[in-house]
Amino acid sequence: MFNLKFPLLSVCLLSSFASYSAIYKCEIDGVLTFSDTPCSDKYEKIEVSPQVIKKRPQSGAKQNTDSTDNYVKSRQLKREIDKVKARIKKLQKDMDAEISEVKNMTVRTANNLYGATRSEALALEMNAITERYKSSIELEQGNLERLQKELNKLNNSSQSSGFSGNSHEQELNRIGSYVEQRAVERKIANNNAQIKRLQREMNDELAALKNQSGQAKSNIAGAKLQQSLAQEMAAINKQYQVKIDAVAKDNTLLRAQKNKAPKSFSQDFNGDGEQ
C-alpha cells in the first residue's frame, strides 16, 4: 500500500469515482497495465478511495510553483467547461419549452383545410424557434471547444512533467491518469445513452404524425394536411437534431481529451466508454 501523505498541491480530487474501490496492477509483455479486473495471473490489487491523490514531482521550487499553477488553472477551466455545458442544456430546455408552448396553442382540425393551415403554421414557427436557439447553442459550443483545447494542452504539460519523477511518483501519476480516463469514458457512455433516448423520443413523435397523415382524407384538404404534416415532421427532426448534434460534439471533445492521455497503460474499454 502506498504512503499517500504528500503536500496539498499534489491533491487531485476525483469524487466522481467514489464507486471504484480497487485497481489491478499487472505487467503484460513488459508494459505496466491498470485495469478494473485482474489483468493476469500475477497482479497487485491497489485500493482506491473516493479521493485519489495525484502526485506531482517535488524536485524544486519552480516545479512546485508550476505544478500548483497548473492545478489551479485546470480546476478553473473545468469549472468554466461545466458552466458552458450547463448553459447549453438550459438553451435546449428553453427551446423545447417554447416549441411545446406553440404546439399547445395550435389546435388542429384533422382532415380539413383549416387543420392543414394550422399545422403548416406550426412547422414554420417551430423552425424559427429552432434556428434561433441553434445559433446560441453553436456559439456556446465554440466556447466549449476552446476551453477543452486549453485544458488538454495544460494536461499534456502536466503529464509530461508528472511522469519524470521517481518510480513511486510515476506510478501514482499513472493511477491518477487512469482514473481520470475512466471518468471521461463514463461521460462518453452517458452521452451515448442520451443520444439513444433523444432518437427514441423523436421517432415516437414522428410516428404519431405519420399515423395522423395516413388518416387524411383522399381530397384536396387531405392532401394539404399531409403536406403540412410532412413539414411539421421535418421541423421536429430539426429540433431533435440540434440537441443530438450538441451531445455528439461533446463526445468528440471528450474522445480528444481521452486520446491525449498517456499510452503507458492499457484500457479494458472501447472508444465509447462501454465494456
Side-chain angles (χ1 to χ4, degrees):
M1 189 65 61
F2 297 121
N3 178 11
L4 300 180
K5 295 180 180 178
F6 291 110
L8 179 61
L9 64 88
S10 66
V11 177
C12 180
L13 302 180
L14 301 174
S15 58
S16 61
F17 269 73
S19 59
Y20 289 93
S21 59
I23 291 176
Y24 296 88
K25 171 188 169 186
C26 312
E27 187 170 324
I28 301 176
D29 297 329
V31 178
L32 184 62
T33 301
F34 293 94
S35 175
D36 294 325
T37 57
C39 35
S40 71
D41 294 335
K42 297 181 180 180
Y43 62 83
E44 178 184 347
K45 184 178 180 181
I46 303 172
E47 297 295 335
V48 180
S49 66
Q51 295 181 342
V52 179
I53 294 181
K54 188 172 183 181
K55 179 71 172 66
R56 298 298 184 189
Q58 306 295 323
S59 56
K62 185 179 185 302
Q63 248 181 345
N64 288 346
T65 302
D66 291 343
S67 184
T68 303
D69 289 345
N70 285 350
Y71 176 78
V72 172
K73 290 177 182 177
S74 174
R75 300 307 297 173
Q76 289 175 339
L77 285 171
K78 287 178 180 179
R79 283 194 292 269
E80 288 300 316
I81 287 173
D82 288 342
K83 289 179 182 179
V84 173
K85 288 184 177 182
R87 289 199 294 269
I88 291 174
K89 287 183 179 179
K90 186 178 186 304
L91 285 169
Q92 293 174 344
K93 185 177 180 180
D94 291 346
M95 177 181 68
D96 289 345
E98 281 197 38
I99 290 177
S100 179
E101 184 178 356
V102 170
K103 286 181 179 178
N104 292 335
M105 292 173 59
T106 302
V107 181
R108 296 192 198 91
T109 305
N111 294 328
N112 61 34
L113 199 56
Y114 176 76
T117 302
R118 296 293 289 175
S119 184
E120 184 177 8
L122 171 60
L124 290 173
E125 192 159 359
M126 287 174 63
N127 277 326
I129 293 171
T130 300
E131 280 296 327
R132 175 160 48 85
Y133 278 97
K134 181 182 177 183
S135 298
S136 299
I137 290 172
E138 287 178 346
L139 181 63
E140 293 293 353
Q141 285 173 332
N143 292 332
L144 181 60
E145 184 175 1
R146 174 182 56 79
L147 291 168
Q148 191 64 59
K149 285 181 178 179
E150 289 183 32
L151 180 61
N152 290 345
K153 184 177 180 181
L154 187 64
N155 287 342
N156 288 341
S157 174
S158 298
Q159 287 163 0
S160 62
S161 62
F163 285 96
S164 62
N166 60 42
S167 59
H168 183 55
E169 293 171 345
Q170 290 176 16
E171 188 157 319
L172 288 174
N173 276 305
R174 290 173 192 272
I175 293 171
S177 295
Y178 172 80
V179 173
E180 285 181 5
Q181 276 202 292
R182 289 301 312 278
V184 171
E185 287 171 340
R186 286 183 64 184
K187 291 177 182 178
I188 292 173
N190 289 337
N191 280 348
N192 286 338
Q194 184 180 356
I195 288 173
K196 290 179 180 179
R197 177 181 58 79
L198 289 170
Q199 289 172 333
R200 286 195 301 269
E201 292 175 0
M202 178 182 68
N203 290 335
D204 288 343
E205 287 199 44
L206 294 178
L209 289 176
K210 187 176 181 180
N211 180 62
Q212 184 179 348
S213 178
Q215 297 175 0
K217 293 179 179 179
S218 300
N219 53 28
I220 294 177
K224 177 66 174 177
L225 178 62
Q226 287 180 323
Q227 181 181 0
S228 61
L229 287 173
Q231 293 175 335
E232 188 176 341
M233 290 169 70
I236 288 174
N237 184 78
K238 187 174 184 179
Q239 173 194 0
Y240 275 94
Q241 201 58 52
V242 168
K243 296 189 288 185
I244 290 171
D245 285 347
V247 181
K249 287 180 180 179
D250 186 38
N251 262 0
T252 299
L253 295 176
L254 289 170
R255 288 192 179 97
Q257 179 183 346
K258 179 175 179 289
N259 292 335
K260 292 291 184 180
K263 303 301 181 183
S264 53
F265 51 84
S266 67
Q267 299 269 331
D268 291 340
F269 291 75
N270 61 34
D272 292 331
E274 300 167 343
Q275 285 186 330

